[in-house]
Amino acid sequence: MSLDQLYQQIILDHSKARHGSGLAGTEAPDGATTGQSHQLNPVCGDEVTLRLAVSDGKVAQVAWDGAGCSISMASASVLTELAEGMTVAELHEVIDSFREVLRSRGKISADPELLGDAAAFEGVARYAARVKCAMISWVAAEDALNQAA
């Protein structure tokens, strides 16, 4: 299996089995500070509402609800899996790196050591119209993180 095929499979798997999806039915952890952000891409209709809970300087929970293309939903799922347990500073670093890769138009390679499965979205950077799809949940997470931290 090539790396491109592996990345495609990661995106397909996460778009079907959405980690962290179900915000409406999920309570925030006791004692955690939370932030919540709703983001909409009016061009394509992707929509995400994401709540992030921080406890003792670490991301205790990411929960979200959304509707949209497989890229936007998979990106939210990957973000959830990656972010939980990170410190606030680590998550900011990961968000910044993800943004840099996606805005590079394919000129910057993703660091899988830092981005984990989010490196699968590296190919999206070559398609300007899809960058917002992959970024929508990350923008929501950054906003929620700034509220909670």
Side-chain angles (χ1 to χ4, degrees):
M1 179 179 279
S2 74
L3 189 58
D4 283 343
Q5 289 173 320
L6 175 63
Y7 282 174
Q8 288 173 358
Q9 192 60 50
I10 289 170
I11 291 170
L12 287 173
D13 289 349
H14 274 277
S15 71
K16 291 176 186 169
R18 300 175 179 176
H19 300 265
S21 181
L23 170 64
T26 306
E27 294 291 323
D30 287 338
T33 57
T34 62
Q36 184 167 307
S37 181
H38 177 79
Q39 300 292 319
L40 170 68
N41 183 349
V43 175
C44 68
D46 290 338
E47 191 168 1
V48 170
T49 302
L50 183 144
R51 183 184 66 227
L52 192 140
V54 174
S55 182
D56 296 323
K58 290 190 174 190
V59 177
Q61 179 191 69
V62 178
W64 59 277
D65 281 322
C69 68
S70 60
I71 290 173
S72 66
M73 299 297 97
S75 186
S77 176
V78 167
L79 167 68
T80 300
E81 195 172 70
L82 187 63
E84 289 181 347
M86 285 187 166
T87 67
V88 169
E90 288 169 340
L91 183 53
H92 276 297
E93 179 184 5
V94 167
I95 291 170
D96 289 345
S97 178
F98 189 73
R99 178 182 288 119
E100 182 180 35
V101 168
L102 286 181
R103 290 185 177 170
S104 77
R105 300 205 180 237
K107 293 182 175 112
I108 297 173
S109 296
D111 177 359
E113 291 293 318
L114 179 63
L115 293 177
D117 280 354
F121 295 90
E122 177 181 296
V124 173
R126 295 186 300 262
Y127 305 98
R130 303 311 298 250
V131 168
K132 286 185 180 181
C133 301
M135 280 299 303
I136 193 168
S137 59
W138 295 71
V139 170
E142 184 174 48
D143 184 29
L145 185 61
N146 288 336
Q147 294 172 36

